[in-house]
Amino acid sequence: MMDETKSRVNCLYGESLVGFLYGELSGEEKRFFENHLIECDLCSGELAGFTVVRNSIVEWRADEFAVLP
């Protein structure tokens, strides 16, 4: 666990993760971060986790609010 925390602190690109997820990065920033994801297991793993949570929320909202007029 200590190594994971240390790696997270040392990854300079982890802050771009949320911007990437929500499509807020410029074209150049997006390409750079996509290349970074190929090399960084920590960021690619966190992105996968965020994506699962985000998709779960989208599905939940669709199911819960589908019955509303």
Side-chain angles (χ1 to χ4, degrees):
M1 185 71 168
M2 182 67 156
D3 289 337
E4 183 179 325
T5 303
K6 185 176 180 182
S7 295
R8 190 172 288 144
V9 171
N10 290 333
C11 182
L12 301 175
Y13 308 105
E15 292 183 15
S16 298
L17 192 60
V18 174
F20 179 79
L21 183 63
Y22 287 101
E24 298 172 346
L25 301 181
S26 70
E28 184 178 337
E29 291 170 325
K30 180 181 176 187
R31 283 188 299 278
F32 184 84
F33 193 71
E34 287 171 339
N35 288 330
H36 172 71
L37 287 172
I38 293 168
E39 301 295 324
C40 184
D41 291 338
L42 180 62
C43 286
S44 60
E46 287 197 25
L47 178 62
F50 280 134
T51 301
V52 168
V53 170
R54 183 175 180 223
N55 289 341
S56 296
I57 292 170
V58 168
E59 289 175 16
W60 169 79
R61 285 178 60 190
D63 291 343
E64 286 295 315
F65 295 106
V67 297
L68 298 176

